[in-house]
Amino acid sequence: SADLTLELKSGNGNIWSDINPLVGTSTQSAEKTAVKVAKKYSNEANKYDYFFNIDSDASIVEGPSAGAAMALLAITALQGKNLPSNVSMTGTISEDGKVGAVGGVFEKTKEASQTGIKLFMIPKGEGKQTVKLPEGVQTIYLPDYAEKNWKIKVVEVSDIDEVLKFAFTNISEIDVNTSIESVKEYTPEPIQVHSSLALMKKLTAKYIEDANISLMQARNALSSTLIDDAS
């Protein structure tokens, strides 16, 4: 887990990152995008410098998944609002304010529930999760599962406007969608692999592993680019 804080000081719109722990280029890029989004919500934005701090036990903090949270912090700070301490979220942020998908949503939600968070916002479309539970692999609807099992409300958001709306809504009044009929999936039972297919299974597993590595490298390359022009 990590605590994200932001301090505004009189300045010229510069962005600063705490270097303990080290902050990777994709996280720094997310900070820049978050401030760009926040500037659309205040005419005073260029009168301040933005000091981001991520307090974590990790030696290096890397990745863009805190981008939406950074934008939320910047906007509320510029508007002079106090963000409730029991509200948190995960999601990338684009220059047009869209909240993008991230990994590990199930684990992040569980961790949030254990640190006192009562409302956790996730990217639109990530409510459906296929996870390994004690009773086996299942497809769940996270807002429903989290409220029943962890006593935390989870809502899906598509853009920063929805984030702002939920962040300052009375949590007890938020009605999460508890219908899971639309997310039920068929999960086949494990089957025994015939001995003659053992080599094919090994080759396939290696192929999937290599493909996942390539995807991760592509995502990292895209998220760590220093090009400011989103197009």
Side-chain angles (χ1 to χ4, degrees):
S1 62
D3 292 322
L4 169 67
T5 57
L6 170 64
E7 183 178 2
L8 267 60
K9 297 180 181 180
S10 296
N12 303 299
N14 295 317
I15 301 169
W16 304 83
S17 295
D18 195 293
I19 60 171
N20 187 24
L22 294 176
V23 178
T25 54
S26 62
T27 303
Q28 294 178 47
S29 179
E31 293 171 350
K32 291 181 181 179
T33 304
V35 172
K36 285 182 180 179
V37 172
K39 288 181 177 181
K40 299 176 182 178
Y41 290 79
S42 173
N43 294 325
E44 305 293 314
N46 287 323
K47 296 181 180 179
Y48 298 96
D49 283 349
Y50 300 80
F51 293 79
F52 285 98
N53 177 64
I54 300 177
D55 185 13
S56 173
D57 292 334
S59 58
I60 299 176
V61 174
E62 181 65 284
S65 62
M70 292 171 175
L72 172 61
L73 276 181
I75 293 170
T76 54
L78 286 169
Q79 295 180 343
K81 295 179 180 179
N82 292 319
L83 185 67
S85 60
N86 59 356
V87 171
S88 188
M89 71 174 303
T90 185
T92 64
I93 193 70
S94 62
E95 289 190 20
D96 60 359
K98 300 296 184 184
V99 177
V102 295
V105 171
F106 181 85
E107 292 79 7
K108 290 176 181 177
T109 304
K110 183 178 180 180
E111 178 68 19
S113 71
Q114 296 173 349
T115 57
I117 300 300
K118 297 300 180 183
L119 175 65
F120 194 64
M121 292 175 278
I122 64 174
K124 191 77 171 179
E126 294 207 70
K128 183 175 70 174
Q129 294 282 313
T130 300
V131 295
K132 186 175 183 180
L133 302 174
E135 54 270 30
V137 177
Q138 294 184 11
T139 298
I140 63 168
Y141 184 55
L142 188 55
D144 180 74
Y145 182 92
E147 188 169 32
K148 290 180 178 178
N149 293 273
W150 302 328
K151 309 303 180 185
I152 182 175
K153 289 194 174 183
V154 175
V155 292
E156 296 181 83
V157 291
S158 59
D159 56 42
I160 199 66
D161 287 330
E162 290 186 358
V163 171
L164 290 166
K165 180 188 73 173
F166 281 116
F168 294 97
T169 297
N170 188 329
I171 296 177
S172 63
E173 298 177 357
I174 296 176
D175 182 21
V176 299
N177 179 10
T178 57
S179 172
I180 62 173
E181 295 299 320
S182 61
V183 299
K184 285 186 176 179
E185 284 187 2
Y186 168 70
T187 303
E189 294 294 327
I191 60 174
Q192 296 298 320
V193 178
H194 192 276
S195 58
S196 63
L197 296 176
L199 179 59
M200 180 60 70
K201 179 181 179 182
K202 184 177 180 180
L203 290 172
T204 304
K206 183 64 168 63
Y207 181 83
I208 293 174
E209 180 184 355
D210 290 345
N212 282 328
I213 292 174
S214 295
L215 284 170
M216 181 180 66
Q217 291 173 339
R219 289 194 185 100
N220 289 340
L222 183 61
S223 64
S224 62
T225 176
L226 299 180
I227 299 175
D228 290 329
D229 186 351
S231 62

